[in-house]
Amino acid sequence: MAEKQRGLTYAQAGVDIDAGNRMVDLIKPLVRATARPGADAEIGGFGGLFDLKRAGFKDPVLVAATDGVGTKVKIAVETGRHDTIGIDLVAMSVNDLVVQGAEPLFFLDYYACGKLEPEAGAAVVAGISLGCRLAGCALIGGETAEMPGVYQGDDYDLAGFAVGAAERGQLLPRADIAEGDAIIGLASSGVHSNGYSLVRKVVEKSGLSWSAASPFKNGATLGEAVLTPTRIYVRSCLAAIRETGAVKGLAHITGGGFPDNIPRVLPKGLGARIDLAKVVVPPVFKWLAAAGDIAQPEMLRTFNCGIGMIVIAAAKDADRVGAAFTQAGEQSFVIGKVIKADAEPRVVYDNALDLAG
């Protein structure tokens, strides 16, 4: 006679250990695909390992960054499209590493949910794996947390952690950023991963569903269009830094836009003058501005408006730095210059964004 099971189980409390093990089995090949010198990208231990010597560094300084994807994850949940949000997760951290001149080495993720659906979780990790491959870093570990009562329904959240390295003395920004230096903008792929609370508010105001045809991107639903993943600038920035030796500074344009992010890499007493007429504004921002009746200052403070990365170089080097980025697959534009700025605002503008639909 079989012994009667006594008491409550973890599964009855809402946590399915078997589902967690199934997800691990699904993601193991995705993780292995991110292997690089210094890491074999195997998971299952209590911690991930990375060998700096095997990665080729002699006297490295480590650089670390962490970030999430904000309420963009809510759109992934509501549309049931989980395959690109992991790219965003990687992008937000590794783009912050490369602005300091660091090569991303490894990445870890944290995935928290109310009820674990292994296939949905594996789709998220597939995006993380692709993002890591685009950035040249290894996915060496992570954590999946099933927390019923904290997250409701199909909701989940993500956090990412990246570590990179640069040889001592090669960190950015350089100390020689000076008045008159050129400011070069690298085109974004769209909204990236900032401002999605406002995006969702505009969509709500418009009355459109995520499954409706996108009003700004042909052949896509609105949900697909706004889930366009954040561009990863790592390979192009490292190539330009190493090939030209002329990149003085980089600024990742995230929440806060131009006015909050550009000053972060400028020495005290310096600011930026941006010619907004030279910014190529993607259709998504024109639609958001029109549908939400959003004023230009709010657009500039909330969104990247078409420029996902800022590059600073001496005016005499601007053409060859721009050419290096073009060779690496980026669209680049000289959009301004470094100026003296002893008081706020440190970022000033000429002309206006082209927000006409």
Side-chain angles (χ1 to χ4, degrees):
M1 178 176 174
E3 182 180 352
K4 183 178 179 181
Q5 183 174 338
R6 298 179 59 190
L8 288 171
T9 66
Y10 210 7
Q12 289 171 326
V15 178
D16 189 342
I17 294 175
D18 290 335
N21 291 335
R22 172 167 166 71
M23 181 170 159
V24 170
D25 289 339
L26 289 172
I27 68 175
K28 278 184 177 179
L30 300 172
V31 174
R32 290 189 189 107
T34 70
R36 55 151 291 159
D40 58 13
E42 289 288 341
I43 57 171
F46 287 96
L49 305 178
F50 193 92
D51 186 339
L52 278 168
K53 186 176 289 186
R54 278 186 55 206
F57 288 91
K58 297 179 175 62
D59 186 19
V61 175
L62 295 180
V63 183
T66 183
D67 211 334
V69 295
T71 57
K72 189 173 186 177
V73 74
K74 186 69 173 174
I75 302 173
V77 171
E78 291 175 353
T79 60
R81 296 184 61 89
H82 309 289
D83 56 337
T84 61
I85 199 75
I87 301 174
D88 293 294
L89 185 66
V90 175
M92 294 305 291
S93 286
V94 297
N95 284 343
D96 281 353
L97 293 183
V98 79
V99 300
Q100 295 177 89
E103 174 188 340
L105 302 177
F106 59 85
F107 187 86
L108 299 97
D109 69 278
Y110 178 77
Y111 176 98
C113 60
K115 178 176 174 54
L116 183 60
E117 298 292 345
E119 286 71 21
V124 171
V125 177
I128 294 171
S129 173
L130 176 54
C132 286
R133 298 199 303 275
L134 291 171
C137 63
L139 178 57
I140 66 169
E143 171 68 5
T144 301
E146 193 172 14
M147 298 191 291
V150 176
Y151 296 93
Q152 306 302 320
D154 295 328
D155 282 349
Y156 61 85
D157 198 11
L158 300 169
F161 311 86
V163 173
E167 293 292 356
R168 195 176 304 275
Q170 295 181 8
L171 291 168
L172 296 179
R174 284 172 20 184
D176 61 344
I177 294 176
E179 181 183 8
D181 283 348
I183 296 177
I184 302 164
L186 304 184
S188 70
S189 57
V191 184
H192 285 183
S193 296
N194 296 100
Y196 274 86
S197 292
L198 183 53
V199 170
R200 290 167 57 237
K201 195 71 175 177
V202 172
V203 171
E204 179 184 339
K205 181 181 176 182
S206 75
L208 294 173
S209 67
W210 295 124
S211 60
S214 169
F216 53 85
K217 184 178 181 180
N218 292 333
T221 66
L222 179 57
E224 290 168 345
V226 298
L227 284 173
T228 298
T230 306
R231 188 162 182 83
I232 294 177
Y233 296 98
V234 169
R235 293 187 186 275
S236 59
C237 285
L238 290 177
I241 290 168
R242 293 164 178 172
E243 291 170 13
T244 69
V247 174
K248 293 186 176 186
L250 297 163
H252 185 199
I253 305 304
T254 56
F258 291 161
D260 286 0
N261 287 293
I262 297 177
R264 295 169 69 181
V265 299
L266 296 176
K268 186 177 180 180
L270 294 179
R273 179 173 290 277
I274 305 296
D275 184 351
L276 295 177
K278 294 183 178 178
V279 174
V280 178
V281 181
V284 60
F285 296 112
K286 298 181 181 185
W287 181 77
L288 287 168
D293 192 25
I294 306 172
Q296 177 176 285
E298 189 68 18
M299 292 292 295
L300 288 166
R301 190 82 187 271
T302 306
F303 301 116
N304 67 64
C305 294
I307 300 295
M309 186 72 74
I310 289 290
V311 185
I312 300 172
K316 66 180 179 62
D317 296 322
D319 286 346
R320 67 188 183 94
V321 169
F325 277 105
T326 299
Q327 181 66 30
E330 304 290 355
Q331 290 179 281
S332 68
F333 323 90
V334 176
I335 61 170
K337 63 182 179 181
V338 176
I339 60 171
K340 287 185 178 179
D342 295 321
E344 297 295 336
R346 292 177 67 191
V347 178
V348 296
Y349 305 105
D350 293 325
N351 300 307
L353 289 171
D354 177 12
L355 293 174

